[in-house]
DNA sequence: AGAGGTACCTGGCAGC
DNA sequence: TGCTGCCAGGTACCTC
């Protein structure tokens, strides 16, 4: 589910409800997420106050004075702020309960998500340390892509999914941005010109920004922190639209297996 | 170093 | 209706 826009939508949704709140307890109903949820959380988090809620790539960082809670939503995770008395459902694996009576509830059917507690600088944690630039930041631009991908033979779609190149872009937005830039997903990175990379960087930024504005993309089960789905799926041009007409030229959209995941493109608009 | 495959897990859906 | 197989928004880790 969640790529950068969905995580950012979640961040904005929970921020006003958790900043300044003090944690009273942690409830772990199923500790078997991507990594086992540490029992340290129950000891160390009560009494801590959340100072900030930030995002790095697809990771959410809830900072306290003594450490940071790192949350990842995996493929199917979502976070909601609910009244602590509300009964959990089958996939509500972790609650972070606050002194206000509210709790931050992690729902994750596939359990690819993560909840980690780190005392040191979270940006130096091994999961975050090697992440590439934020696509919405000033240090991400076409020249960066051109320099980093010079001589690389891999498909551009695969390169865009690599968090070490660029943080937070997943399969949906990689495909959508490539469509907007007129570049085929299977195109070898080394064949793309500096000019085209300039267009691609702008397309990535624009696609992500528009998705955030729409509250993210809901394909199956994504819900924002208010329980509402995102609406960007209504704006998807190619992703999930195999056989349907290209919104620009009406040529049927094609789907192609690239590596382990499906790429979508317009054979006429994308070269 | 880079590329490719596997693994983690469940729900939904197409096809029979 | 029910079973089987395949697919899915992520990414660490392994082998070649």
């Amino acid at each position: 589910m969640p790529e950068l826009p969905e995580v950012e939508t979640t961040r904005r949704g929970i921020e006003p409800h958790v900043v300044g709140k003090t944690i009273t307890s942690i409830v772990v109903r199923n500790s078997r997420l991507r990594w086992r949820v540490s029992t340290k959380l129950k000891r160390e988090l009560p009494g801590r106050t959340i100072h900030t809620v930030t995002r790095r790539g697809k990771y959410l960082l809830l900072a306290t004075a003594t450490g940071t809670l790192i949350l990842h939503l995996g493929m199917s995770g979502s976070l909601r702020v609910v009244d602590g008395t509300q009964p959990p459902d089958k996939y509500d694996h972790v609650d972070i309960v606050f002194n206000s009576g509210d709790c931050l509830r992690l729902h994750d059917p596939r359990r690819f998500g993560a909840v980690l507690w780190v005392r040191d600088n979270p940006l130096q944690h091994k999961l975050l340390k090697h992440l590439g630039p934020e696509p919405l930041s000033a240090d991400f631009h076409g020249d960066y892509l051109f320099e980093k991908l010079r001589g690389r033979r891999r498909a551009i779609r695969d390169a865009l999914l690599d968090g070490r190149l660029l943080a937070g872009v997943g399969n949906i937005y990689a495909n959508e941005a490539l469509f907007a830039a007129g570049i085929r997903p299977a195109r070898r990175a080394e064949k793309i010109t500096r000019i085209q990379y300039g267009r691609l960087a702008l397309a990535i930024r624009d696609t992500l920004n528009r998705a955030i504005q729409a509250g993210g993309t809901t394909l199956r089960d994504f819900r924002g922190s208010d329980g509402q789905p995102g609406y960007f799926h209504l704006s998807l041009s190619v992703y999930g639209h195999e056989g349907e007409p290209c919104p620009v030229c009406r040529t049927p959209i094609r789907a192609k297996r690239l590596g382990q995941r499906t790429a979508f493109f317009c054979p006429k608009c994308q070269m």
Side-chain angles (χ1 to χ4, degrees):
Chain A
M1 167 249 316
E3 301 185 29
L4 187 153
E6 291 72 40
V7 178
E8 179 60 23
T9 297
T10 300
R11 191 196 70 73
R12 294 179 185 185
I14 67 171
E15 183 177 41
H17 300 285
V18 308
V19 168
K21 299 283 169 61
T22 299
I23 297 168
T24 53
S25 64
I26 307 291
V27 179
V28 180
R29 298 185 196 83
N30 188 344
S31 63
R32 294 183 53 211
L33 302 185
R34 169 109 210 220
W35 297 284
R36 185 169 282 276
V37 178
S38 166
T39 53
K40 273 194 309 190
L41 265 70
K42 292 188 186 176
R43 285 201 309 273
E44 301 200 20
L45 282 176
R48 300 291 122 231
T49 299
I50 307 291
H51 291 323
T52 58
V53 181
T54 54
R55 179 186 58 72
R56 178 75 175 101
K58 295 168 192 156
Y59 293 90
L60 283 171
L61 309 175
L62 279 59
T64 76
T66 55
T68 301
L69 201 54
I70 301 179
L71 304 177
H72 195 287
L73 301 178
M75 293 271 266
S76 60
S78 60
L79 283 169
R80 290 183 67 182
V81 176
V82 299
D83 188 297
T85 60
Q86 188 172 317
D89 83 10
K90 190 178 170 187
Y91 302 115
D92 289 338
H93 303 310
V94 179
D95 282 358
I96 298 159
V97 187
F98 298 109
N99 55 347
S100 58
D102 285 344
C103 78
L104 184 62
R105 184 164 278 176
L106 175 67
H107 175 91
D108 186 5
R110 288 173 71 183
R111 289 193 275 123
F112 287 175
V115 179
L116 303 167
W117 170 250
V118 298
R119 290 184 159 282
D120 308 326
N121 179 0
L123 300 180
Q124 289 305 309
H125 187 275
K126 66 172 179 176
L127 292 172
L128 309 193
K129 190 160 63 171
H130 302 292
L131 287 178
E134 285 291 322
L136 300 179
S137 74
D139 37 338
F140 173 69
H141 40 67
D143 285 350
Y144 168 81
L145 288 175
F146 182 74
E147 298 301 337
K148 291 289 277 190
L149 295 175
R150 171 178 286 180
R152 300 295 199 86
R153 296 169 60 82
R154 67 195 309 206
I156 183 61
R157 199 286 315 265
D158 291 340
L160 295 181
L161 297 185
D162 186 343
R164 289 167 303 184
L165 176 75
L166 184 61
V169 172
N171 200 30
I172 295 177
Y173 298 109
N175 279 284
E176 290 296 312
L178 286 165
F179 172 76
I183 300 168
R184 288 205 190 197
R187 187 145 184 95
R188 286 182 183 181
E190 64 180 356
K191 302 274 198 182
I192 297 169
T193 65
R194 190 186 284 273
I195 303 275
Q196 288 178 307
Y197 273 125
R199 250 184 256 139
L200 178 56
L202 290 177
I204 289 169
R205 184 171 304 188
D206 179 61
T207 304
L208 295 175
N209 274 326
R210 287 188 300 113
I212 292 169
Q213 299 259 310
T217 297
T218 296
L219 293 183
R220 285 179 184 73
D221 50 8
F222 175 70
R223 289 293 179 278
S225 57
D226 54 0
Q228 293 300 113
Y231 292 98
F232 194 69
H233 61 288
L234 301 172
S235 308
L236 295 176
S237 297
V238 291
Y239 188 89
H241 288 291
E242 180 181 13
E244 294 172 36
C246 165
V248 173
C249 75
R250 317 306 290 171
T251 301
I253 298 300
R254 290 233 286 262
K256 181 181 178 180
R257 199 80 180 168
L258 209 56
Q260 307 301 100
R261 354 205 20 193
T262 306
F264 297 88
F265 63 99
C266 170
K268 189 170 168 204
C269 295
Q270 292 171 262
M271 305 290 284

